[in-house]
Amino acid sequence: QIIIKSSAYLKDLMVNGLTIGFAILLGIGLGAVQLLPTLEFTANSTRQTGLDEDAINFLSLRIQDLPTFVTPFYNFTYEPRSLAQLAQVGWPFDERYSYIGIIPLVLAGISLAFIVRKRQAIIFVLLGTFFLLLSLGNQSPIGILLKLPPLNLFRIPVKFTPFAPLSFA
């Protein structure tokens, strides 16, 4: 009877392992369509050496823009874009726009009560915090990670911002 139970356990383990392996291979295959051209483009571009200090500082989410998570028109202007305005702001504001919405934030706040019961949900809070800190660039304590591969190949640190609300939600 012990042999029957252990063989059933091994069969389940093998089926689950094959399923997970197939899912990983399928993900790599689907991602290769984008990953391989991106690697080729990066090898032939100026980003081959990664982000430098000036790019990290210039293209990160500013701390003063964090209110855009809850107010969609915070510091937003309908004035026509001009070269002088671009020089004053440093980067087009719409590239740093990160509105999540009030309802998703409220739901994410309510879900914090359930993290106590489901400890594995803490990983999403940690991931959201990690992505938010990465998008802040050198304004955060982990901004140094943007100089290390593969994170140094990302063009703009603020592009990590959308991953924060997805993780929090």
Side-chain angles (χ1 to χ4, degrees), residues 71-139:
T71 56
F73 298 111
Y74 170 81
N75 198 19
F76 188 76
T77 178
Y78 288 103
E79 297 173 13
R81 303 287 184 202
S82 67
L83 194 56
Q85 184 182 14
L86 180 63
Q88 177 189 5
V89 176
W91 188 253
F93 181 76
D94 52 355
E95 282 284 334
R96 287 187 271 212
Y97 190 72
S98 55
Y99 179 62
I100 298 173
I102 302 296
I103 294 173
L105 279 176
V106 168
L107 291 174
I110 291 171
S111 71
L112 290 175
F114 298 100
I115 288 179
V116 174
R117 284 187 255 154
K118 298 206 177 229
R119 294 190 188 270
Q120 64 268 29
I122 291 176
I123 188 71
F124 292 105
V125 172
L126 294 176
L127 277 174
T129 305
F130 176 74
F131 287 129
L132 186 60
L133 289 174
L134 272 181
S135 68
L136 291 172
N138 285 336
Q139 301 171 83

Side-chain angles (χ1 to χ4, degrees), residues 9-25:
Y9 175 75
L10 287 174
K11 182 180 175 185
D12 289 343
L13 188 63
M14 195 163 83
V15 168
N16 288 337
L18 288 174
T19 303
I20 290 171
F22 177 74
I24 289 171
L25 285 176

